[in-house]
Amino acid sequence: MKPINDSILVFKFGGASVKSAEAINNVINILKLYKNRKIVVVVSAMGKTTNQLESLFEATLNEEYDLFISQKDALYDFHIDMINILFSGQACETIKHKIDLIFDDITAFYQKQSDHSKSQRYDAFISFGEHLSSLILQFKIEQDLEESQWSDARKLVKTDDQFQKANVNWQKSIELIKNHCLGALEANRIIVTQGFISSNNLGETTTLGREGSDYSAGIFAHALDAESVTIWKDVPGMLNADPKFFENTQKLDRISFREAIELSYYGASVIHPKTLKPLQNKQIPLYVKSFMNPTAEGTTIDVDTSNDHMIPSFIFKKNQVLFSITPKDFSFLIEANLSDIFLKLSEAEVEINIMQNSALSFSFLVDYDKNQIRAIIEQLSPSYEVKYNTELELVTVRHYDKKTNDFVCKGKKILLQQRTRKTARFVLGK
Ligand code: ASP
Ligand code: MG
């Protein structure tokens, strides 16, 4: 017999899917397609709200009061304009009052004295975005569909104290999510909660890292043994390349968890990379679907590996810097120097995108960051000759063949290349 909670669906709606009154009405229409299903809705902040909150937060740090107030007013108007279209009469007044209270807290934040770290204050502040969006969406569901439950994700997703990139306490979160959601889903068919935000042991707000709402959906689904997760996006599914860099993209109809994890590791940005693991562990399928075309097929990510090789995927990382270092005493690069190099790079908090070594030199590629380049040179130049090249790109081709490789390298200078059975990677310059 199937367990009773087998039929829970987890839906993640990102910022673009709730960026306007029209978009929110569209979310309501999507929910209408899933009559009688138990659904946990995980929602991000509306449109570009998180970026705007980041800029407000900067203004508090720089003590730019006028800028803070004008940007805050713009964000307020954005939410209130939407509410005025979505609601009328008493309902409109009720939800406006709730939103006003949050904006009172946003305004008060500017003056608030605190001895907390910058990261901790960032998390406390940035979480207003998801708080706003989830209240508005839940209220709209209540108006147009049925009674539903608004749930505070900070009471359910528990983490350590790593503000801005918190690590989930799985045991605690699973227990809290199960205890709260299973009962709440008996009383109401739909729960609306926030992506991205969580809290530590003391109940202080933490966040899971930018774009972390996908991961939240994965956490809820894992804890609830959900039937599936659907990420509703502004693209028809997972594509084999970023349409920003590539003309003829193709939709991947079905790929395995492994393949999706590989693609996100190499930098494909459709799904937050941490999302897949908790789903893979419980074999919960993930659907990526278009919110503009909700009945279309989308992409299915599950245990089936049989289609993985069918379409080559291309992942581009622009603005790369290739370092090449040689021991000053011309000693060979053996384990001892390599471990010295890695220690120094890890002290400079360097993330390496690709690396390679020869007898006398070690090469590694990083994202361009002026301060980091300086830190790397400082760390390494006492013992090594350090050279670097900027304005490069890293192209990864999954399931490559000669044609795909010729295509990506055409007219470019290949500075470094690596091939494994399924993956070819090229560092390219002009
Ligand atoms: N609102 C957060 C962000 O923009 C989380 C998310 O959208 O996934 O990063
Ligand atoms: Mg987003």
Side-chain angles (χ1 to χ4, degrees):
M1 208 178 77
K2 284 187 168 185
I4 35 170
N5 58 0
D6 199 30
S7 59
I8 296 170
L9 303 176
V10 175
F11 283 2
K12 183 262 178 171
F13 289 101
S17 68
V18 289
K19 67 172 187 205
S20 63
E22 195 189 350
I24 291 177
N25 282 323
N26 184 52
V27 169
I28 301 293
N29 286 333
I30 290 176
L31 292 171
K32 282 183 185 160
L33 297 173
Y34 294 83
K35 266 205 175 78
N36 306 322
R37 299 301 312 261
K38 288 179 181 167
I39 303 173
V40 177
V41 172
V42 175
V43 68
S44 301
M46 294 169 158
K48 299 272 171 252
T49 298
T50 304
N51 290 348
Q52 281 150 355
L53 286 167
E54 274 188 350
S55 138
L56 279 169
F57 184 69
E58 280 296 313
T60 68
L61 297 178
N62 302 332
E63 299 186 23
E64 296 166 315
Y65 187 68
D66 293 344
L67 183 72
F68 177 85
I69 293 298
S70 70
Q71 291 190 351
K72 185 225 27 157
D73 288 347
L75 193 62
Y76 177 75
D77 291 345
F78 167 75
H79 284 89
I80 292 295
D81 289 348
M82 205 180 307
I83 287 171
N84 281 332
I85 303 173
L86 289 171
F87 304 97
S88 58
Q90 187 51 46
C92 193
E93 294 313 310
T94 307
I95 183 70
K96 263 188 199 164
H97 179 65
K98 292 186 188 200
I99 299 310
D100 281 348
L101 292 178
I102 297 177
F103 273 91
D104 288 347
D105 289 344
I106 292 179
T107 311
F109 194 91
Y110 188 88
Q111 309 286 5
K112 209 158 135 190
Q113 301 295 326
S114 162
D115 50 13
H116 291 155
S117 69
K118 183 175 150 191
S119 289
Q120 177 165 4
R121 281 184 297 141
Y122 172 97
D123 281 354
F125 190 73
I126 213 79
S127 63
F128 287 126
E130 270 70 14
H131 197 167
L132 289 164
S133 63
S134 61
L135 280 178
I136 296 171
L137 180 61
Q138 188 263 338
F139 205 68
K140 186 64 181 165
I141 291 172
E142 199 121 320
Q143 292 289 300
D144 286 19
L145 280 175
E146 59 190 85
E147 294 271 307
S148 56
Q149 165 85 40
W150 179 86
S151 299
D152 190 339
R154 288 168 292 193
K155 299 212 162 79
L156 305 173
V157 180
K158 301 304 280 187
T159 68
D160 64 5
D161 288 333
Q162 287 268 339
F163 295 98
Q164 293 196 266
K165 47 172 188 243
N167 300 297
V168 173
N169 177 336
W170 282 96
Q171 206 188 346
K172 194 95 208 123
S173 305
I174 290 172
E175 188 187 317
L176 288 167
I177 292 171
K178 269 191 164 156
N179 281 344
H180 172 79
C181 294
L182 294 179
L185 283 168
E186 287 305 322
N188 290 289
R189 189 173 71 80
I190 299 176
I191 291 178
V192 180
T193 191
Q194 308 79 36
F196 177 53
I197 67 175
S198 42
S199 78
N200 67 8
N201 262 337
L202 298 172
E204 295 162 332
T205 302
T206 54
T207 60
L208 304 172
R210 285 300 309 266
E211 303 300 327
S213 293
D214 294 349
Y215 184 33
S216 302
I219 297 166
F220 277 92
H222 178 99
L224 294 168
D225 290 302
E227 181 183 302
S228 64
V229 173
T230 306
I231 297 185
W232 295 95
K233 290 197 70 92
D234 52 2
V235 285
M238 204 158 163
L239 304 175
N240 73 328
D242 186 335
K244 267 193 288 205
F245 305 130
F246 210 79
E247 267 175 26
N248 303 310
T249 54
Q250 275 177 283
K251 180 168 75 71
L252 304 169
D253 294 335
R254 187 162 191 181
I255 59 169
S256 68
F257 288 117
R258 258 203 80 156
E259 183 66 14
I261 289 169
E262 294 274 5
L263 291 174
S264 69
Y265 169 78
Y266 290 121
S269 61
V270 187
I271 304 163
H272 189 280
K274 284 185 172 174
T275 313
L276 294 152
K277 200 81 203 145
L279 300 178
Q280 183 189 33
N281 289 347
K282 292 222 175 165
Q283 307 200 349
I284 299 168
L286 171 66
Y287 306 118
V288 182
K289 278 157 99 53
S290 159
F291 58 73
M292 298 312 294
N293 196 359
T295 53
E297 195 73 38
T299 297
T300 298
I301 301 169
D302 63 9
V303 288
D304 181 0
T305 57
S306 59
N307 298 299
D308 287 351
H309 62 282
M310 307 241 285
I311 300 177
S313 288
F314 301 85
I315 300 140
F316 298 84
K317 272 181 186 270
K318 303 272 180 187
N319 213 1
Q320 299 291 301
V321 185
L322 183 65
F323 278 90
S324 203
I325 63 172
T326 311
K328 280 193 169 155
D329 58 6
F330 286 103
S331 59
F332 283 131
L333 274 172
I334 51 165
E335 286 72 5
N337 330 58
L338 287 173
S339 91
D340 174 55
I341 294 168
F342 280 120
L343 188 71
K344 291 186 161 130
L345 291 176
S346 108
E347 268 162 20
E349 293 188 25
V350 174
E351 281 178 27
I352 296 178
N353 294 330
I354 191 169
M355 58 189 157
Q356 194 157 293
N357 70 301
S358 69
L360 291 175
S361 86
F362 175 71
S363 303
F364 60 94
L365 190 76
V366 296
D367 293 346
Y368 178 83
D369 173 337
K370 213 167 57 197
N371 296 329
Q372 196 167 56
I373 292 178
R374 204 176 307 130
I376 291 171
I377 295 171
E378 251 166 47
Q379 286 280 348
L380 296 174
S381 56
S383 328
Y384 303 89
E385 200 72 62
V386 181
K387 290 189 196 140
Y388 68 95
N389 267 315
T390 58
E391 287 181 52
L392 305 178
E393 80 181 310
L394 170 63
V395 186
T396 303
V397 188
R398 284 284 288 171
H399 310 290
Y400 63 89
D401 56 26
K402 184 164 180 334
K403 211 173 95 198
T404 56
N405 293 356
D406 288 348
F407 169 72
V408 296
C409 297
K410 197 172 161 205
K412 307 252 171 79
K413 197 166 127 199
I414 304 174
L415 282 88
L416 188 155
Q417 57 180 309
Q418 278 178 6
R419 278 173 222 207
T420 58
R421 212 152 44 84
K422 291 181 183 153
T423 311
R425 311 190 79 194
F426 304 94
V427 178
L428 303 173
K430 281 177 199 135

